[in-house]
PDB file of all heavy atoms in Angstrom:
ATOM      1  N   PHE X   5      78.926  83.316 114.095  1.00 82.00           N
ATOM      2  CA  PHE X   5      79.667  82.052 114.140  1.00 82.00           C
ATOM      3  C   PHE X   5      79.236  81.204 112.957  1.00 82.00           C
ATOM      4  O   PHE X   5      78.059  80.939 112.766  1.00 82.00           O
ATOM      5  CB  PHE X   5      79.411  81.279 115.436  1.00 82.00           C
ATOM      6  CG  PHE X   5      80.482  80.275 115.740  1.00 82.00           C
ATOM      7  CD1 PHE X   5      81.569  80.614 116.522  1.00 82.00           C
ATOM      8  CD2 PHE X   5      80.431  78.999 115.209  1.00 82.00           C
ATOM      9  CE1 PHE X   5      82.580  79.703 116.792  1.00 82.00           C
ATOM     10  CE2 PHE X   5      81.426  78.077 115.459  1.00 82.00           C
ATOM     11  CZ  PHE X   5      82.506  78.434 116.259  1.00 82.00           C
ATOM     12  N   LEU X  28      86.786  83.925 117.953  1.00 88.00           N
ATOM     13  CA  LEU X  28      86.460  82.696 118.679  1.00 88.00           C
ATOM     14  C   LEU X  28      86.571  81.505 117.744  1.00 88.00           C
ATOM     15  O   LEU X  28      85.883  81.456 116.722  1.00 88.00           O
ATOM     16  CB  LEU X  28      85.035  82.769 119.252  1.00 88.00           C
ATOM     17  CG  LEU X  28      84.507  81.500 119.947  1.00 88.00           C
ATOM     18  CD1 LEU X  28      85.333  81.184 121.193  1.00 88.00           C
ATOM     19  CD2 LEU X  28      83.036  81.662 120.307  1.00 88.00           C
ATOM     20  N   ARG X  30      86.323  77.284 117.143  1.00 80.00           N
ATOM     21  CA  ARG X  30      85.533  76.156 117.656  1.00 80.00           C
ATOM     22  C   ARG X  30      86.293  75.358 118.701  1.00 80.00           C
ATOM     23  O   ARG X  30      85.707  74.833 119.650  1.00 80.00           O
ATOM     24  CB  ARG X  30      85.132  75.250 116.482  1.00 80.00           C
ATOM     25  CG  ARG X  30      84.247  74.077 116.888  1.00 80.00           C
ATOM     26  CD  ARG X  30      83.799  73.297 115.679  1.00 80.00           C
ATOM     27  NE  ARG X  30      84.916  72.683 114.983  1.00 80.00           N
ATOM     28  CZ  ARG X  30      84.799  71.948 113.882  1.00 80.00           C
ATOM     29  NH1 ARG X  30      83.594  71.777 113.354  1.00 80.00           N
ATOM     30  NH2 ARG X  30      85.851  71.431 113.310  1.00 80.00           N
ATOM     31  N   ALA X  32      88.205  76.473 120.910  1.00 87.00           N
ATOM     32  CA  ALA X  32      88.429  77.242 122.134  1.00 87.00           C
ATOM     33  C   ALA X  32      87.182  77.333 123.013  1.00 87.00           C
ATOM     34  O   ALA X  32      87.195  78.003 124.042  1.00 87.00           O
ATOM     35  CB  ALA X  32      88.910  78.647 121.790  1.00 87.00           C
ATOM     36  N   ILE X  33      86.095  76.644 122.616  1.00 89.00           N
ATOM     37  CA  ILE X  33      84.849  76.717 123.386  1.00 89.00           C
ATOM     38  C   ILE X  33      84.293  75.316 123.606  1.00 89.00           C
ATOM     39  O   ILE X  33      84.551  74.404 122.811  1.00 89.00           O
ATOM     40  CB  ILE X  33      83.824  77.630 122.669  1.00 89.00           C
ATOM     41  CG1 ILE X  33      82.635  77.940 123.577  1.00 89.00           C
ATOM     42  CG2 ILE X  33      83.373  77.030 121.342  1.00 89.00           C
ATOM     43  CD1 ILE X  33      81.755  79.067 123.062  1.00 89.00           C
ATOM     44  N   ASN X  34      83.531  75.137 124.675  1.00 85.00           N
ATOM     45  CA  ASN X  34      83.076  73.802 125.057  1.00 85.00           C
ATOM     46  C   ASN X  34      81.997  73.237 124.144  1.00 85.00           C
ATOM     47  O   ASN X  34      81.748  72.037 124.127  1.00 85.00           O
ATOM     48  CB  ASN X  34      82.568  73.815 126.508  1.00 85.00           C
ATOM     49  CG  ASN X  34      81.385  74.747 126.712  1.00 85.00           C
ATOM     50  OD1 ASN X  34      81.211  75.710 125.963  1.00 85.00           O
ATOM     51  ND2 ASN X  34      80.590  74.502 127.729  1.00 85.00           N
ATOM     52  N   SER X  35      81.338  74.086 123.360  1.00 82.00           N
ATOM     53  CA  SER X  35      80.300  73.621 122.446  1.00 82.00           C
ATOM     54  C   SER X  35      80.117  74.668 121.353  1.00 82.00           C
ATOM     55  O   SER X  35      80.429  75.848 121.563  1.00 82.00           O
ATOM     56  CB  SER X  35      78.978  73.409 123.193  1.00 82.00           C
ATOM     57  OG  SER X  35      77.956  72.963 122.321  1.00 82.00           O
ATOM     58  N   ILE X  36      79.632  74.242 120.194  1.00 83.00           N
ATOM     59  CA  ILE X  36      79.417  75.205 119.110  1.00 83.00           C
ATOM     60  C   ILE X  36      78.302  76.161 119.517  1.00 83.00           C
ATOM     61  O   ILE X  36      77.188  75.742 119.797  1.00 83.00           O
ATOM     62  CB  ILE X  36      79.057  74.478 117.807  1.00 83.00           C
ATOM     63  CG1 ILE X  36      80.228  73.590 117.359  1.00 83.00           C
ATOM     64  CG2 ILE X  36      78.721  75.496 116.708  1.00 83.00           C
ATOM     65  CD1 ILE X  36      79.961  72.800 116.109  1.00 83.00           C
ATOM     66  N   PRO X  37      78.578  77.458 119.560  1.00 86.00           N
ATOM     67  CA  PRO X  37      77.585  78.415 120.045  1.00 86.00           C
ATOM     68  C   PRO X  37      76.633  78.904 118.966  1.00 86.00           C
ATOM     69  O   PRO X  37      76.946  78.879 117.782  1.00 86.00           O
ATOM     70  CB  PRO X  37      78.466  79.577 120.529  1.00 86.00           C
ATOM     71  CG  PRO X  37      79.622  79.566 119.564  1.00 86.00           C
ATOM     72  CD  PRO X  37      79.865  78.103 119.249  1.00 86.00           C
ATOM     73  N   ALA X  38      75.476  79.343 119.404  1.00 87.00           N
ATOM     74  CA  ALA X  38      74.524  79.997 118.499  1.00 87.00           C
ATOM     75  C   ALA X  38      74.720  81.497 118.605  1.00 87.00           C
ATOM     76  O   ALA X  38      75.177  82.007 119.635  1.00 87.00           O
ATOM     77  CB  ALA X  38      73.095  79.614 118.883  1.00 87.00           C
ATOM     78  N   VAL X  43      78.717  84.081 126.528  1.00 91.00           N
ATOM     79  CA  VAL X  43      79.902  83.257 126.749  1.00 91.00           C
ATOM     80  C   VAL X  43      80.823  83.922 127.760  1.00 91.00           C
ATOM     81  O   VAL X  43      80.875  85.147 127.868  1.00 91.00           O
ATOM     82  CB  VAL X  43      80.680  83.002 125.437  1.00 91.00           C
ATOM     83  CG1 VAL X  43      79.888  82.144 124.489  1.00 91.00           C
ATOM     84  CG2 VAL X  43      81.073  84.306 124.776  1.00 91.00           C
ATOM     85  N   ALA X  60      86.776  79.230 126.453  1.00 90.00           N
ATOM     86  CA  ALA X  60      85.437  79.814 126.472  1.00 90.00           C
ATOM     87  C   ALA X  60      84.374  78.776 126.829  1.00 90.00           C
ATOM     88  O   ALA X  60      84.496  77.597 126.478  1.00 90.00           O
ATOM     89  CB  ALA X  60      85.127  80.441 125.116  1.00 90.00           C
ATOM     90  N   THR X  61      83.340  79.227 127.504  1.00 89.00           N
ATOM     91  CA  THR X  61      82.205  78.364 127.837  1.00 89.00           C
ATOM     92  C   THR X  61      80.913  79.136 127.612  1.00 89.00           C
ATOM     93  O   THR X  61      80.851  80.353 127.808  1.00 89.00           O
ATOM     94  CB  THR X  61      82.251  77.896 129.309  1.00 89.00           C
ATOM     95  OG1 THR X  61      82.318  79.045 130.167  1.00 89.00           O
ATOM     96  CG2 THR X  61      83.452  77.006 129.560  1.00 89.00           C
ATOM     97  N   ILE X  62      79.876  78.426 127.195  1.00 87.00           N
ATOM     98  CA  ILE X  62      78.575  79.054 126.987  1.00 87.00           C
ATOM     99  C   ILE X  62      77.893  79.235 128.337  1.00 87.00           C
ATOM    100  O   ILE X  62      77.783  78.294 129.124  1.00 87.00           O
ATOM    101  CB  ILE X  62      77.705  78.192 126.059  1.00 87.00           C
ATOM    102  CG1 ILE X  62      78.363  78.091 124.674  1.00 87.00           C
ATOM    103  CG2 ILE X  62      76.303  78.767 125.936  1.00 87.00           C
ATOM    104  CD1 ILE X  62      77.635  77.152 123.722  1.00 87.00           C
TER     105      ILE X  62
END
Side-chain angles (χ1 to χ4, degrees):
F5 201 92
L28 175 64
R30 183 175 64 180
I33 191 167
N34 61 335
S35 180
I36 297 178
V43 293
T61 56
I62 297 175

